[in-house]
Amino acid sequence: MTAPKVGFVSLGCPKALVDSEQILTQLRAEGYQTASSYDGADLVIVNTCGFIDAAVQESLDAIGEALAENGKVIVTGCLGAKKDAAGDDIITKVHPKVLAVTGPHAVTEVMESVHLHLPKPHDPFIDLVPDHGVKLTPKHYAYLKISEGCNHRCSFCIIPSMRGDLVSRRIDEVLIEAENLFKAGVKELLVISQDTSAYGVDVKFRTGFWNGRPIKTHMTQLVEALGQLARQYDAWVRLHYVYPYPHVDHAIPFMGDGHVLPYLDIPMQHAHPDVLKRMKRPASGEKNLERILNWRKMNPDLTIRSTFIAGFPGETEAEFEYLLDFLKEAQIDRLGCFAYSPVEGATANELANPVPEEVREERRARVMLLQEEISARRLQAKVGKTVRVLIDEVGPREAIGRSAADAPEIDGVVHIKRPLVPGKQKLAVGQFADVVVTRADAHDLWANPV
C-alpha cells in the first residue's frame, strides 16, 4: 500500500521555516511521504506569513493556487491567527474551501487535521526520522529556534498577537538539538527567535543542566555553550534578532575564536529618540551608537546587520536626517530599509501625521543610496585579506561561499575562482576554505583560494 503524500508550501521568515521543519519531521515520523508537485499530493499544507500586507497577499495567493491545483488544503502559520477589522478569520473569508486553519507553532493541531483528512498509514518507528529532524535548508546550515513569541508591543508590529508572549525553550533541549545538528554535518547554526537577547526572561533565567553541569536559561550562557559545541565540530554559530540590551556586551568576548561568529543581527528600526518612542521600541535604542562603537572596540572584526523603517508616521525631515547622520557614524555593514507599510491591527496606524507614500519611498531610496556607499567602502577594505568561507555552491568556473560577515539569503556572497593548479585546495559544498579577496563591490566579494 502506497504511503499517502503531503505537499508543503512554506512562506515567511526563518522562524516560520522552523515551524515547517517541525511539521515535516512529524509527518515523516508517522510514515507520510512528501510530494514535489500539486499533482502528486493527496493533500497540501500551506505555512503562511501575515506580517505586512504584501506577505498577507502572497499567502492568500499561495492558498488559492494550492486549492486550484490540488483542492485539499490545510493552512497554518501567522496569517491563520490574524483577523480582519470585523474580527473574522481572513483565510476562510477569502478561501472558504480550506480544510482547516491554525496559527503558528501548531504542530499538534496541524497533525490532527492531517489525520482527519488523510489518515496516517501505520504506527511510527522512531528510527524513521534522524535525530536532527527534517530540514528545509541545505545540509550544511540550519536554523535553531530558541524561543517563541515576544513580550514587546512595538506599535508597527502585530507578531505578538499571532505568536503570543515570549516562551523560551528549555536550555538542555536547545543544546541537544544543536549537538544533533552538528553531528549530522551542519557547519553553520543560525540562532533565531523574536528576541534572542530576551531568552530566559519568561522563566526568570531558570537553571537547567547540560552534560551534568548547571547552566542558566540565559542568552550569554547559551552562546558560550553553543560556542563550545561548535568548536568540537569545527562549525559556526551566527546570532540573529539580537536586541541591544546591555548584557549583549558579555556575548562579544565569545566571538574571538572563529566559532561564535563576530556578527550581530540587530533590528534597530530607527535612530531618533522621538521616533523610537512612537515605535515603542525596547532596549534604550537611543544608545545604539554608543553600544556599536563599544562593541567594535571589543572586537574590530564585528559585522553588524540591521533593518530600518523610513517614513514612520510622524517622521519629520529633521528626524529622518538624524537617522542618516546616525548611519554615517555607525557604519552598519549590512542594512535593509523598508518604507513604512501600514499593517492591519497595528497601533501605529492610529498615529498622527502619516507620511505620504511618495515621501516614504523617497526616504527609503536615500537610505539605501547612503548604505551603498558605506557598504562599498567597508567591503573594499577587505581586498587583499585572507578570509574563511563556507562553500554553498560549486560550479564549473567558480564557487559561491559566505564569510563570517554573510548570513545566507540576506547578505552578500564571496565569488571564488575555481583553482586550476594541481595541489590547490578542493572546493566542496559544506566545507570551509581560506581565500584571498581580490576585489569588491557594494554587496559581494571576489576571491582566489589560498
Side-chain angles (χ1 to χ4, degrees):
M1 185 176 179
T2 304
K5 293 185 177 182
V6 177
F8 209 102
V9 178
S10 185
L11 305 173
C13 65
K15 292 175 284 295
L17 184 72
V18 172
D19 288 351
S20 295
E21 291 174 340
Q22 291 172 348
I23 295 169
L24 285 167
T25 296
Q26 188 61 34
L27 286 167
R28 183 74 62 83
E30 295 189 11
Y32 292 94
Q33 294 184 11
T34 53
S36 58
S37 67
Y38 290 122
D39 290 342
D42 299 301
L43 178 149
V44 176
I45 298 172
V46 180
N47 190 4
T48 58
C49 179
F51 183 41
I52 60 175
D53 291 346
V56 170
Q57 191 57 53
E58 180 186 22
S59 294
L60 291 174
D61 290 345
I63 296 167
E65 179 180 297
L67 283 169
E69 296 291 333
N70 183 276
K72 297 181 67 175
V73 178
I74 291 172
V75 180
T76 188
C78 287
L79 186 57
K82 194 172 181 181
K83 308 295 182 183
D84 63 16
D88 297 324
D89 182 78
I90 291 176
I91 293 172
T92 54
K93 196 170 185 178
V94 178
H95 297 299
K97 293 184 179 180
V98 296
L99 300 176
V101 177
T102 76
H105 196 54
V107 177
T108 301
E109 293 88 343
V110 171
M111 292 308 301
E112 287 174 353
S113 297
V114 172
H115 296 156
L116 179 62
H117 298 284
L118 189 64
K120 59 182 180 180
H122 56 75
D123 292 329
F125 293 95
I126 195 67
D127 59 358
L128 289 178
V129 177
D131 290 337
H132 60 278
V134 176
K135 295 295 170 186
L136 295 175
T137 51
K139 292 181 179 179
H140 60 285
Y141 69 82
Y143 293 102
L144 178 69
K145 185 159 59 171
I146 63 173
S147 64
E148 280 290 342
C150 182
N151 286 343
H152 306 308
R153 295 298 182 264
C154 301
S155 61
F156 56 83
C157 182
I158 59 171
I159 286 177
S161 68
M162 296 185 286
R163 287 189 171 263
D165 290 335
L166 175 71
V167 179
S168 299
R169 294 179 61 194
R170 284 174 42 174
I171 194 163
D172 59 323
E173 290 181 355
V174 172
L175 292 171
I176 288 170
E177 181 178 349
E179 186 166 31
N180 285 335
L181 287 166
F182 286 138
K183 287 178 178 178
V186 166
K187 287 298 181 180
E188 180 177 6
L189 206 56
L190 300 105
V191 178
I192 59 170
S193 64
Q194 295 298 142
D195 181 355
T196 295
S197 305
Y199 176 66
V201 167
D202 57 311
V203 294
K204 299 180 180 179
F205 307 118
R206 179 174 55 213
T207 298
F209 289 88
W210 169 245
N211 285 341
R213 299 177 60 185
I215 181 171
K216 284 189 176 182
T217 309
H218 191 280
M219 179 240 190
T220 53
Q221 294 204 18
L222 174 64
V223 170
E224 181 180 16
L226 288 174
Q228 292 170 354
L229 276 174
R231 190 180 304 115
Q232 293 177 34
Y233 293 92
D234 188 26
W236 284 352
V237 172
R238 189 184 300 274
L239 303 179
H240 286 275
Y241 310 107
V242 178
Y243 281 75
Y245 304 132
H247 67 257
V248 175
D249 294 358
H250 303 298
I252 304 298
F254 300 132
M255 298 178 175
D257 67 354
H259 296 291
V260 177
L261 296 179
Y263 179 103
L264 288 176
D265 173 10
I266 306 169
M268 297 182 199
Q269 309 302 4
H270 212 279
H272 196 283
D274 292 342
V275 179
L276 291 168
K277 186 176 180 180
R278 294 196 296 273
M279 288 180 168
K280 297 185 178 180
R281 294 294 286 164
S284 301
E286 65 275 7
K287 296 182 180 179
N288 282 345
L289 181 59
E290 177 186 328
R291 289 195 175 110
I292 288 170
L293 296 177
N294 183 50
W295 292 338
R296 284 190 169 141
K297 285 181 182 178
M298 297 169 69
N299 190 326
D301 294 327
L302 181 66
T303 294
I304 295 177
R305 148 162 282 285
S306 190
T307 52
F308 291 84
I309 297 174
F312 189 76
E315 182 188 63
T316 64
E317 181 64 25
E319 290 170 341
F320 177 70
E321 291 288 347
Y322 185 101
L323 170 60
L324 295 180
D325 290 340
F326 168 86
L327 296 178
K328 291 172 185 175
E329 290 194 65
Q331 296 286 295
I332 304 295
D333 299 88
R334 302 293 195 184
L335 184 147
C337 183
F338 304 91
Y340 174 74
S341 174
V343 177
E344 188 173 341
T347 58
N349 301 338
E350 302 167 8
L351 293 173
N353 303 315
V355 179
E357 183 177 0
E358 61 272 17
V359 177
R360 284 182 258 150
E361 291 294 342
E362 183 264 344
R363 289 178 180 174
R364 184 200 67 81
R366 287 165 65 187
V367 168
M368 295 313 298
L369 185 63
L370 171 62
Q371 179 58 28
E372 190 164 338
E373 297 173 5
I374 293 171
S375 180
R377 186 165 55 249
R378 293 188 70 81
L379 289 178
Q380 186 64 34
K382 298 184 179 185
V383 173
K385 294 184 177 180
T386 300
V387 298
R388 195 183 198 205
V389 297
L390 180 59
I391 304 298
D392 285 338
E393 302 174 29
V394 176
R397 295 189 178 182
E398 74 167 15
I400 302 295
R402 291 178 294 102
S403 71
D406 307 309
E409 299 185 354
I410 57 174
D411 293 328
V413 298
V414 183
H415 301 266
I416 307 156
K417 186 177 180 181
R418 289 287 303 277
L420 300 177
V421 180
K424 286 281 186 179
Q425 62 179 320
K426 183 179 179 181
L427 302 177
V429 172
Q431 299 299 313
F432 291 108
D434 292 324
V435 300
V436 177
V437 179
T438 57
R439 69 183 179 94
D441 65 13
H443 306 284
D444 298 339
L445 300 175
W446 282 260
N448 292 330
V450 172

